[in-house]
Amino acid sequence: GTKKLNYKVEEEYPDLTKHNNHMAKVLTKELYGKLRDKQTPSGFTVDDVIQTGVDNPGHPFIMTVGCVAGDEESYEVFKDLFDPVISDRHGGYKPSDKHKTDLNFENLKGGDDLDPNYVLSSRVRTGRSIKGLTLPPHTSRGERRLIERLSVEALTSLDGEFKGKYYPLKSMTDAEQEQLINDHFLFDKPVSPLLTCAGMARDWPDARGIWHNDNKTFLVWVNEEDHLRVISMQQGGNMREVFRRFCVGLQRIEEIFKKHNHGFMWNEHLGYILTCPSNLGTGLRGGVHVKLPKLSTHPKFEEILTRLRLQKRGTGGVDTASVGGVFDISNADRLGSSEVEQVQLVVDGVKLMIEMEKKLEKGEAIDSMIPAQK
Amino acid sequence: MATSFTRMMSGRNTAVVLASIGAGTLASGYLLSDSAAAAERKRAYPPSADFPDLRKHNNCMASALTPTIYAHLRDKTTPNNWTLDQCIQTGVDNPGHPFIKTVGMVAGDEESYEVFAELFDPVIKDRHNGYDPRTMKHPTDLDASKITSGMFDERYVLSSRVRTGRSIRGLSLPPACTRSERREVERVVVTALSGLKGDLAGRYYSLGEMSEREQQQLIDEHFLFDKPVSPLLTAAGMARDWPDARGIWHNNEKNFLIWINEEDHTRIISMEKGGNMKRVFERFCRGLKQVEQLIQERGWEFMWNERLGYILTCPSNLGTGLRAGVHIRLPFLSRDPRFKKILENLRLQKRGTGGVDTAATGDTFDISNLDRLGKSEVELVQLVVDGVNYLTECEKRLERGQDIKIPSPVPQFRK
């Protein structure tokens, strides 16, 4: 409460000397002093923003962000913290930069012919936040339930290839749960302290759930790390089709929300507004599970990925190791380039890497194929 | 189809209302001193919209919380702006413990127990065997000289220990405290402890600054506490900012130990090998009184009132906050089917030797008092002394092939 203002800045300022995350690099005592007597209209404070970064000094493999937004206004009220964090995280993105949104799948070139002998599956995901409501670190139970109600009403009105069903986490049957686990759809209560310290697991599993279409190619998570996580996926290498369904589905959902004066949080500087600054812009991670046993052991593998603006993960997702030479390869960027551009990078990059893999299989060198920095 | 959306529109959201005041207001945010914002946000939703779903829950809070009580209390705050939702978050997030009925709520400050009395009182009554804070008074008695027969048979009793907690009045409790308040607790307590002399003289080890060697030493002595992993505690926000302002103090003799800013402002522990519970309790009382005097010299005091005794974070620790116990070997008695009933009637509980939530290894048990509130420290320690002596007698009788009796139940607190 306001009692904390009776203490001097240095008494309240967190000890970040052993920390290694974006927030810790940016938040000086002076900056903290400037921000600590502010709150957003819904009551989110700078201490709320940084708690996850204070509680989690560093991740062994990746530089974590260390701060979250509690509502759309957080990015404005705490601009002096978020702007440099965003710049650091998103390749020098400036406060004056504008972000381009392009969900026109027809602008994607190719993408329907990734070699299925190598590409096992293709997937595109993003997140969306409902304008006017607070974000997962801050929502009350009433707000979270409203987010669920609004989302379910919108999703259950979809038809055609998007006709589907909602499974609330707290009332799914054992059989439904088993099926969703087998389909790899089910998300669980977050255990990562990065998320729990930010308050995102409160009241679990209240108002959380999973919606998917009958074809099991379009999936929406409600109230996990964001209001909505939207996922389009299928076996094989037809990324073009995955992206088409992604764009069409998203736009249908957005139309329904807009019709009731509830668009998604978006602005021309930050694109789509999500809980974690790392997901601003497109919030898009488009990727494939691809077999690259030879290329992945090549000394230049990391460099190739960097130049292609791609990242690798294990097939269990973030924080997992690869199994059997199969990697999850996806776009590294989120902010400053459009959805089409990011998926294009994945399509082109994966195609090139498969060529490289084939060359290495034949015992040939790949040095001439290594691309310039994109 | 329109209903959810139109309800949202008419229950208008703060951001839109305030955005109409001017973009400048939005950009610079609101001053922390303006609590109107949070209040406005709450009123956009009726209490029924926020009432937690507790149908699958089994804890004292879930048993006591009705929609009516929630509606009365949801919009109230303590002087530190602590709310009911914050008190109950841990109970909402943790539906039930497999072995014990957990409390399911915590206090954020001393005033929580008053402001949210409508919920705390029935929870206290449930947890503390019918103790009614509205009508009853809790006795405090730290005169160790009153203890009789406080020396156990050391062929059975391996160690003796008494612990309690104390909170510094005027500072928020671990679920709610800011970093500055937590650091203030550390300062106040460490300063006081540095004034202890004689057999109580000792030193402080800050968790964040201790050397590897010191850490290993403290682990080997079983003194070191670690960042809480139990979701009961983490969901209540007690692990925030770890390890900032957390530490361990112990005397040079290593039989008087204080934890700072773990689950309470302070946890005070007196212990030693062997069965001299009277001496353990005597040192406990002496140490507590000296610490209290030292903080009073600087204008501070412990949280205490005659309704609830010593105020601690968890309602289960109100009253004396005292757990007095022994590690005792009972190979025969523990296999006797009457063991459980004997403990029950003596108002004792058994735990594994790793503490709460652990199982016993071999034949050695941690035996301690069940009650905390409604009986004084002296009464509870005497109860443990009499109980452990009785258990030892039973063990000896069974060894000799003699029969044992289940004792009559110890009387409850004076109502």
Side-chain angles (χ1 to χ4, degrees):
Chain A
T2 55
K3 235 190 184 190
K4 69 166 83 165
L5 297 179
N6 294 338
Y7 290 90
K8 298 203 278 286
V9 175
E10 43 272 13
E11 287 171 327
E12 195 59 57
Y13 179 65
D15 181 352
L16 301 172
T17 49
K18 297 197 182 114
H19 286 59
N20 182 40
N21 57 53
H22 288 297
M23 177 279 292
K25 291 177 87 181
V26 165
L27 190 70
T28 60
K29 186 154 61 96
E30 292 65 42
L31 180 56
Y32 180 74
K34 193 173 169 201
L35 298 176
R36 75 163 185 152
D37 58 353
K38 296 188 159 86
Q39 59 177 343
T40 66
S42 74
F44 207 62
T45 65
V46 74
D47 285 326
D48 295 326
V49 169
I50 67 174
Q51 190 67 60
T52 179
V54 175
D55 288 347
N56 296 288
H59 188 281
F61 306 137
I62 51 181
M63 176 88 159
T64 48
V65 177
C67 55
V68 292
D71 49 24
E72 185 165 7
E73 295 79 5
S74 296
Y75 287 108
E76 269 309 307
V77 173
F78 305 113
K79 213 172 160 22
D80 293 335
L81 170 61
F82 278 112
D83 282 350
V85 166
I86 287 167
S87 175
D88 232 0
R89 179 62 176 211
H90 294 283
Y93 196 77
K94 297 191 292 297
S96 55
D97 285 337
K98 301 258 186 284
H99 170 81
K100 193 165 53 157
T101 293
D102 182 359
L103 283 159
N104 191 343
F105 67 90
E106 277 160 353
N107 290 340
L108 184 70
K109 301 199 217 350
D112 54 354
D113 60 350
L114 297 173
D115 192 334
N117 292 314
Y118 295 84
V119 177
L120 307 177
S121 60
S122 308
R123 179 184 189 266
V124 180
R125 69 86 159 150
T126 188
R128 291 290 185 264
S129 309
I130 302 171
K131 200 169 176 62
L133 299 174
T134 62
L135 296 171
H138 199 36
T139 53
S140 63
R141 283 180 292 274
E143 262 184 309
R144 203 185 294 111
R145 291 162 179 171
L146 177 62
I147 292 161
E148 185 190 37
R149 263 200 313 278
L150 297 176
S151 303
V152 172
E153 284 186 26
L155 293 167
T156 51
S157 73
L158 297 172
D159 61 7
E161 62 174 320
F162 297 108
K163 184 164 161 319
K165 185 177 162 186
Y166 182 67
Y167 302 86
L169 243 59
K170 72 175 171 186
S171 56
M172 64 175 61
T173 65
D174 282 343
E176 285 169 341
Q177 186 171 300
E178 189 66 40
Q179 186 64 51
L180 288 166
I181 289 173
N182 291 338
D183 292 328
H184 303 288
F185 284 177
L186 190 64
F187 64 90
D188 221 339
K189 180 170 180 176
V191 291
S192 165
L194 300 176
L195 300 183
T196 55
C197 292
M200 296 196 225
R202 287 173 303 125
D203 312 315
W204 204 274
D206 201 308
R208 273 83 168 192
I210 292 165
W211 179 95
H212 70 77
N213 66 351
D214 295 339
N215 298 337
K216 296 189 181 178
T217 55
F218 194 74
L219 165 69
V220 178
W221 289 350
V222 178
N223 284 321
E224 191 234 12
E225 191 184 329
D226 281 294
H227 289 176
L228 299 165
R229 283 288 179 95
V230 178
I231 303 150
S232 169
M233 66 230 251
Q234 66 192 57
Q235 299 297 308
N238 196 343
M239 181 59 96
R240 188 180 182 80
E241 171 60 14
V242 169
F243 189 54
R244 180 205 65 80
R245 190 170 48 243
F246 175 82
C247 294
V248 172
L250 262 177
Q251 282 164 333
R252 293 254 187 104
I253 295 169
E254 182 157 23
E255 258 160 45
I256 298 170
F257 275 99
K258 270 196 181 142
K259 230 195 310 184
H260 297 269
N261 286 325
H262 262 286
F264 293 140
M265 290 184 198
W266 178 94
N267 68 50
E268 60 174 4
H269 167 52
L270 294 177
Y272 288 101
I273 305 293
L274 294 175
T275 306
C276 182
S278 69
N279 282 319
L280 291 166
T282 61
L284 185 144
R285 194 171 90 84
V288 299
H289 282 186
V290 58
K291 284 193 272 199
L292 298 171
K294 295 204 150 27
L295 183 61
S296 58
T297 55
H298 191 284
K300 292 241 160 84
F301 184 45
E302 297 287 341
E303 182 169 352
I304 290 165
L305 286 171
T306 305
R307 292 190 183 196
L308 292 174
R309 309 201 65 79
L310 298 176
Q311 68 174 195
K312 75 177 198 303
R313 298 181 183 191
T315 50
V318 71
D319 289 348
T320 66
S322 101
V323 173
V326 181
F327 285 84
D328 177 315
I329 303 289
S330 62
N331 54 297
D333 305 321
R334 305 267 185 276
L335 179 61
S337 52
S338 74
E339 290 80 355
V340 167
E341 286 169 333
Q342 288 167 9
V343 175
Q344 192 70 65
L345 282 171
V346 174
V347 160
D348 296 346
V350 169
K351 206 161 179 189
L352 178 62
M353 290 197 292
I354 292 172
E355 305 288 307
M356 288 177 166
E357 180 72 20
K358 288 175 174 170
K359 270 251 151 100
L360 290 170
E361 277 172 19
K362 292 194 282 218
E364 293 168 19
I366 56 166
D367 298 310
S368 58
M369 296 171 78
I370 293 176
Q373 178 66 56
K374 293 216 175 292
Chain B
M1 172 66 176
T3 47
S4 295
F5 292 89
T6 49
R7 248 182 284 135
M8 250 304 299
M9 292 294 291
S10 58
R12 224 27 242 146
N13 181 278
T14 307
V16 171
V17 165
L18 295 166
S20 65
I21 296 170
T25 317
L26 213 60
S28 59
Y30 278 81
L31 293 179
L32 213 54
S33 49
D34 178 7
S35 56
E40 176 67 42
R41 177 172 165 247
K42 276 247 137 76
R43 281 193 287 274
Y45 296 86
S48 55
D50 278 331
F51 187 72
D53 182 351
L54 301 171
R55 288 171 298 174
K56 293 197 183 122
H57 286 59
N58 180 39
N59 55 53
C60 297
M61 178 278 292
S63 301
L65 185 66
T66 63
T68 308
I69 294 176
Y70 186 74
H72 287 169
L73 298 181
R74 187 195 71 161
D75 296 339
K76 297 201 158 130
T77 60
T78 68
N80 297 304
N81 281 328
W82 190 249
T83 65
L84 183 76
D85 281 331
Q86 288 170 307
C87 285
I88 67 173
Q89 190 68 59
T90 179
V92 175
D93 289 347
N94 296 290
H97 189 279
F99 306 137
I100 48 180
K101 187 169 185 184
T102 47
V103 176
M105 68 188 300
V106 292
D109 49 21
E110 187 166 6
E111 295 84 352
S112 296
Y113 287 107
E114 287 307 316
V115 174
F116 308 117
E118 203 181 339
L119 181 58
F120 271 110
D121 286 351
V123 165
I124 289 167
K125 203 169 180 190
D126 186 6
R127 179 59 178 218
H128 294 282
N129 312 299
Y131 182 89
D132 187 350
R134 282 176 269 234
T135 57
M136 292 161 70
K137 291 210 200 324
H138 168 80
T140 292
D141 185 356
L142 285 158
D143 181 357
S145 69
K146 292 179 182 162
I147 300 295
T148 60
S149 313
M151 179 69 218
F152 301 128
D153 187 332
E154 291 183 339
R155 287 173 296 172
Y156 301 90
V157 174
L158 308 175
S159 60
S160 308
R161 181 185 190 266
V162 181
R163 71 87 160 151
T164 189
R166 290 291 186 264
S167 311
I168 309 294
R169 176 162 277 161
L171 298 170
S172 304
L173 296 169
C177 63
T178 61
R179 281 180 292 275
S180 45
E181 279 182 298
R182 202 186 293 112
R183 292 163 179 172
E184 178 98 82
V185 168
E186 186 187 36
R187 261 198 311 273
V188 169
V189 176
V190 171
T191 306
L193 293 171
S194 65
L196 292 174
K197 299 186 186 357
D199 70 315
L200 294 178
R203 71 163 269 208
Y204 181 61
Y205 302 84
S206 146
L207 237 62
E209 284 156 38
M210 64 173 67
S211 66
E212 292 272 337
R213 201 172 51 80
E214 285 167 341
Q215 185 172 301
Q216 194 53 52
Q217 180 78 37
L218 289 165
I219 290 173
D220 294 338
E221 287 161 343
H222 305 288
F223 284 176
L224 189 65
F225 64 90
D226 220 342
K227 180 171 180 177
V229 292
S230 165
L232 300 176
L233 299 182
T234 55
M238 297 197 223
R240 287 172 303 125
D241 313 314
W242 204 274
D244 198 310
R246 272 80 167 194
I248 290 165
W249 181 99
H250 69 76
N251 65 349
N252 299 326
E253 318 229 341
K254 298 186 182 176
N255 52 27
F256 191 65
L257 163 69
I258 297 178
W259 291 352
I260 295 178
N261 286 318
E262 191 237 11
E263 190 184 329
D264 278 295
H265 284 174
T266 65
R267 283 288 179 95
I268 296 109
I269 302 150
S270 169
M271 70 236 241
E272 57 185 67
K273 292 263 186 267
N276 199 337
M277 179 60 94
K278 182 162 171 122
R279 185 167 66 200
V280 167
F281 187 52
E282 181 278 324
R283 184 172 52 247
F284 174 84
C285 295
R286 188 163 48 88
L288 267 174
K289 289 200 198 111
Q290 287 188 27
V291 172
E292 181 159 26
Q293 207 173 328
L294 287 161
I295 65 167
Q296 279 169 347
E297 279 166 15
R298 283 177 174 76
W300 297 92
E301 50 182 9
F302 292 141
M303 289 185 197
W304 179 93
N305 67 50
E306 57 175 8
R307 197 171 76 96
L308 298 174
Y310 288 102
I311 304 295
L312 294 175
T313 306
C314 182
S316 69
N317 284 319
L318 289 166
T320 60
L322 185 142
R323 194 170 90 86
V326 298
H327 282 187
I328 181 171
R329 288 188 326 105
L330 297 169
F332 281 92
L333 182 57
S334 60
R335 285 176 181 74
D336 191 293
R338 293 164 287 188
F339 184 40
K340 195 161 172 273
K341 187 69 181 158
I342 292 172
L343 288 174
E344 201 183 296
N345 285 3
L346 292 173
R347 297 219 58 75
L348 297 176
Q349 68 174 190
K350 77 177 193 316
R351 299 180 182 189
T353 50
V356 72
D357 288 349
T358 67
T361 47
D363 306 315
T364 309
F365 294 86
D366 176 316
I367 303 286
S368 63
N369 53 298
L370 266 170
D371 305 319
R372 306 267 185 275
L373 176 64
K375 287 182 176 157
S376 74
E377 290 83 353
V378 164
E379 285 175 288
L380 290 175
V381 172
Q382 190 63 59
L383 194 144
V384 171
V385 163
D386 296 343
V388 168
N389 281 332
Y390 191 89
L391 294 175
T392 313
E393 262 317 298
C394 287
E395 182 67 22
K396 288 174 179 168
R397 290 180 70 85
L398 290 172
E399 272 175 25
R400 297 192 289 261
Q402 290 170 325
D403 198 16
I404 57 173
K405 271 213 268 284
I406 297 176
S408 10
V410 162
Q412 276 283 47
F413 38 71
R414 314 160 232 136
K415 291 204 181 195

